[in-house]
RNA sequence: GGCGGGUUAGCCAAGUGGUAAGGCGGGAGUCUGCAAAACUCCUAACGUCGGUUCGAUUCCGACACCCGCCUCCA
């Protein structure tokens, strides 16, 4: 079966065929963070989904050029700047760095190009000038430049909205009476006092770019006027991505993006994450509670990206146990030298791929792997067979990013106690052996007595 | 009000017009001095009411409940 993605634009699954005539290169743009605070696990779900997408594309042999923006000028950032007394750059540099640290913790691959909004302002002004010249945009009384949605006949094609419905339901900010249409959106925001020192010169006076224009400009700059895939959370469908389409296509006259992929949000304990409910978590919160990056990665990645994910600590515990099951299997293979050859069933790889080909059905793919683990645990492997399986798993892990387990290094002191305990057991001095076990536990080590002798493992 | 998604065992979560993967949990067993870990086996499910059909959890239509977007938001 061909690789298929659910395209928000058409609301159906479509075969994925890249723009590249040779079918090799893929342009991927993922909406990046607004760097005014630490990322929360809801944000990180989007980035783990996008990581799975990119890894699978690469696994399938595509050459992916992955671009992700950093939004480093925006209302909330300006507020943080004002309140902290720091410079814009100090604030955004700090949270950008922390953001990438989170990505590393979750083993998310870094994008190839990470443009910052504030470094792309000249290009944004150029695009806005084009839109003003072609009457798709106008300068209002308030000195802001707005995009005129009436000038773009396809407006609403992504979100499946029409203009009348937009007006009836939407709350319209009171200070937006300068606009010709309530849903017209700012391309350029005129400076006001609250902005402090945050401003750039433009043909329309000092100010700063609107949010939507950033993504249009940064994506087209690095991927071309039409590119393959654009991702983001489902909340971005409207207005953000709708507006990107409008301004980009109005400016270039070409289709902007071919496949739009959006991930559903996550809930925590069945409720929308919010600070007031006390169910708001950043990655560092979870790390502080003793969870690891890969456990969080597993929990975030193991449900289909278009389904709402209910994040719970029970779920994290399930992720931990599931990973332990995988680790035990792989560690066993690493140590094993059995009699019969088992070999790698070809079906595993093809079924794994078939699941992911179907709009990244990760649950199905993991199901295939666990099925294999169960069958594999029953069989025995020759050294060559075990090596084959490990090689296969390593390849599949390019997609999953869980990493291969390694035996924990046992310090000499610990190893000595383990041996002492084993000697005591041999001598049937169980009182002594249990004492040593307690002693090891205090040092953070647990001993498993396997048929092949004791094995020390670090706790946690 | 408009647009969209969901409802599968105790929990999480795939999928299918012919009674349904997987993970976690639970139970039993193997192993062990006892444990622990591991492994094996077992366990249990398609919101309600209609319709189409030889047959529906799967298609269609209602209903109920949940959730998202429509406003900064992954």
């Amino acid at each position: 079966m061909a690789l298929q993605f659910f395209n928000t634009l058409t609301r159906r699954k479509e075969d994925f065929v890249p723009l590249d005539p040779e079918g090799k290169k893929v342009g991927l743009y993922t909406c990046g963070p607004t760097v005014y605070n630490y990322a929360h696990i809801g944000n990180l779900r989007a980035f783990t989904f996008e990581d799975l997408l990119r890894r699978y594309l690469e696994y399938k042999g595509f050459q992916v050029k992955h671009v992700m923006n950093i939004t480093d000028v925006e209302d909330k950032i300006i507020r943080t700047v004002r309140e902290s007394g720091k410079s814009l750059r100090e604030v955004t540099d700090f949270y950008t760095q922390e953001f990438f640290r989170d990505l590393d913790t979750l083993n998310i691959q870094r994008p190839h190009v990470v443009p910052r909004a504030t470094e792309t302002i000249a290009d944004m002004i150029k695009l806005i000038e084009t839109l003003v010249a072609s009457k798709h945009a106008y300068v209002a009384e308030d000195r802001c430049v707005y995009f005129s949605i009436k000038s773009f006949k396809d407006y609403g094609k992504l979100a499946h909205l029409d203009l009348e419905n937009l007006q009836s339901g939407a709350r319209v900010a009171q200070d937006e009476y300068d606009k010709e249409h309530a849903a017209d959106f700012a391309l350029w925001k005129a400076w006001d006092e609250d902005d402090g020192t945050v401003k750039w010169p433009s043909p329309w006076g000092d100010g700063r770019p609107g949010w939507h224009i950033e993504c249009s400009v940064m994506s087209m700059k690095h991927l071309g006027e039409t590119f393959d895939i654009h991702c983001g959370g489902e909340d971005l469908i409207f207005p953000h991505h709708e507006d990107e389409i409008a301004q980009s296509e109005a400016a270039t006259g070409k289709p902007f993006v071919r496949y739009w992929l959006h991930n559903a949000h996550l809930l925590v304990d069945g409720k929308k994450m919010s600070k007031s409910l006390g169910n708001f978590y950043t990655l560092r919160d979870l790390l502080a509670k003793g969870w690891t990056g890969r456990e969080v990665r597993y929990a975030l990645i193991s449900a289909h990206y278009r389904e709402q994910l209910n994040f719970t600590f029970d779920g994290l515990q399930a992720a931990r146990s599931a990973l332990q099951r995988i680790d035990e299997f792989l560690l066993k293979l690493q140590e094993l030298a059995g009699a019969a050859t088992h070999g790698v069933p070809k079906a595993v790889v093809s079924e794994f791929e078939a699941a992911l080909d179907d709009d990244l059905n990760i649950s199905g793919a993991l199901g295939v792997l666990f099925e294999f683990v169960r069958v594999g645990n029953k069989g025995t492997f020759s050294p060559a067979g075990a090596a084959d399986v490990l090689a296969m798993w390593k390849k599949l892990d390019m997609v999953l990013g869980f990493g291969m387990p390694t035996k924990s290094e046992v310090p000499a002191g610990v190893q000595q106690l383990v041996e002492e305990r084993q000697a005591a057991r041999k001598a049937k001095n169980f009182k002594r052996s249990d004492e040593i076990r307690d002693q090891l536990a205090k040092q953070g080590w647990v001993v498993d007595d396997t048929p092949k002798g004791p094995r020390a493992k670090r706790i946690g």
Side-chain angles (χ1 to χ4, degrees):
Chain A
M1 192 178 65
L3 177 60
Q4 292 195 317
F5 296 127
F6 183 89
N7 189 348
T8 307
L9 202 56
T10 56
R11 307 281 159 119
R12 52 178 54 112
K13 284 183 200 171
E14 295 174 356
D15 286 355
F16 176 70
V17 181
L19 195 60
D20 175 25
E22 288 170 30
K24 269 285 194 195
K25 292 179 188 161
V26 173
L28 171 68
Y29 185 85
T30 59
C31 275
T34 301
V35 283
Y36 70 102
N37 207 334
Y38 298 111
H40 60 250
I41 54 174
N43 297 322
L44 295 170
R45 188 207 187 176
F47 299 112
T48 49
F49 147 61
E50 288 152 1
D51 188 53
L52 176 66
L53 170 65
R54 169 172 158 192
R55 283 168 175 272
Y56 192 56
L57 286 168
E58 289 175 344
Y59 172 92
K60 297 280 282 186
F62 293 111
Q63 288 166 20
V64 180
K65 181 174 182 185
H66 179 191
V67 179
M68 183 187 72
N69 65 296
I70 298 287
T71 295
D72 61 350
V73 55
E74 185 265 353
D75 289 354
K76 281 181 292 228
I77 297 173
I78 291 171
R79 194 172 65 213
T80 304
V81 167
R82 204 167 56 227
E83 287 166 359
S84 67
K86 293 183 175 140
S87 73
L88 184 81
R89 194 69 197 222
E90 277 175 300
V91 169
T92 59
D93 274 355
F94 177 78
Y95 287 113
T96 301
Q97 228 169 36
E98 292 301 309
F99 173 72
F100 280 117
R101 190 191 298 189
D102 286 351
L103 294 195
D104 290 346
T105 302
L106 293 175
N107 198 21
I108 291 171
Q109 294 188 321
R110 297 214 180 182
H112 306 291
V113 187
V114 186
R116 302 174 69 113
T118 54
E119 289 167 352
T120 322
I121 286 178
D123 299 283
M124 296 185 204
I125 289 174
K126 252 187 257 171
L127 191 79
I128 298 170
E129 282 181 315
T130 305
L131 290 169
V132 171
S134 61
K135 305 270 195 255
H136 285 294
Y138 57 93
V139 183
E141 290 282 307
D142 59 7
R143 302 183 344 273
C144 297
V145 183
Y146 292 101
F147 184 89
S148 169
I149 62 168
K150 278 187 193 153
S151 76
F152 185 69
K153 65 173 169 45
D154 283 342
Y155 193 81
K157 71 177 174 183
L158 181 70
H160 291 205
L161 298 171
D162 60 57
L163 299 184
E164 283 116 73
N165 289 336
L166 270 184
Q167 282 177 306
S168 60
R171 268 182 267 157
V172 178
Q174 261 121 44
D175 60 351
E176 296 190 349
Y177 48 77
D178 289 326
K179 297 192 292 189
E180 290 172 2
H181 188 288
D184 284 355
F185 54 92
L187 298 168
W188 186 261
K189 294 184 173 180
W191 180 87
D192 71 29
E193 284 176 11
D194 287 344
D195 294 342
T197 56
V198 179
K199 61 181 175 182
W200 288 263
S202 85
W204 315 282
D206 286 353
R208 60 192 166 95
W211 177 39
H212 314 304
I213 195 75
E214 291 178 14
C215 283
S216 284
V217 169
M218 288 190 265
S219 58
M220 290 195 289
K221 178 172 181 173
H222 296 284
L223 296 173
E225 292 179 339
T226 301
F227 60 92
D228 293 302
I229 305 177
H230 192 134
C231 299
E234 63 181 356
D235 55 302
L236 297 183
I237 295 171
F238 190 87
H240 185 53
H241 289 159
E242 191 69 59
D243 290 350
E244 282 186 48
I245 292 173
Q247 66 206 174
S248 305
E249 299 192 351
T252 67
K254 296 175 188 163
F256 176 47
V257 168
R258 304 174 64 240
Y259 300 88
W260 287 93
L261 273 58
H262 292 96
N263 63 280
H265 280 194
L266 68 73
L267 302 175
V268 175
D269 297 327
K271 299 207 171 95
K272 187 168 172 167
M273 189 165 50
S274 75
K275 284 180 180 164
S276 57
L277 283 175
N279 64 354
F280 186 96
Y281 298 109
T282 62
L283 183 57
R284 69 204 54 233
D285 293 335
L286 300 177
L287 298 180
K289 287 173 187 282
W291 302 98
T292 65
R294 75 194 281 258
E295 286 162 354
V296 176
R297 177 182 176 89
Y298 186 99
L300 292 179
I301 220 170
S302 58
H304 186 86
Y305 74 93
R306 281 192 292 114
E307 296 293 341
Q308 213 165 45
L309 169 69
N310 188 18
F311 186 90
T312 62
F313 285 96
D314 282 351
L316 263 183
Q317 182 58 52
R320 173 173 285 176
S321 299
L323 282 168
Q324 273 167 3
R325 181 171 166 80
I326 291 172
D327 286 352
E328 286 294 338
F329 177 66
L330 296 178
L331 283 170
K332 194 169 93 180
L333 289 180
Q334 285 173 17
E335 291 170 3
L336 216 133
T341 299
H342 196 283
V344 183
K346 286 226 171 66
V348 173
V349 173
S350 63
E351 286 171 14
F352 178 85
E353 292 175 3
L356 290 173
D357 277 349
D358 181 12
D359 195 32
L360 301 176
N361 181 355
I362 185 73
S363 304
L366 290 174
V368 171
L369 293 190
F370 278 108
E371 180 74 21
F372 176 68
V373 168
R374 188 169 56 79
V375 173
N377 270 326
K378 277 196 277 195
T380 46
F381 293 89
S382 67
D388 283 351
V389 172
L390 285 169
M392 170 199 81
W393 199 286
K394 207 167 173 181
K395 191 168 173 232
L396 301 187
D397 191 63
M398 282 169 52
V399 179
L400 300 171
F402 298 151
M404 304 297 280
T406 50
K407 272 190 280 186
S408 35
E409 296 260 328
V410 182
V414 171
Q415 186 55 35
Q416 200 185 334
L417 283 172
V418 169
E419 279 160 21
E420 246 182 86
R421 175 174 169 278
Q422 184 63 359
R425 290 181 68 224
K426 281 258 166 71
K428 302 220 186 281
N429 184 354
F430 300 122
K431 186 163 174 286
R432 176 65 189 145
S433 72
D434 287 351
E435 277 170 16
I436 297 174
R437 182 156 67 194
D438 291 345
Q439 201 180 337
L440 282 165
K442 276 182 198 147
Q443 295 180 28
W445 290 81
V446 64
V447 191
D448 293 343
D449 294 323
T450 73
K452 288 187 176 177
R455 190 169 73 182
K457 280 199 308 194
R458 185 166 268 299
I459 296 169

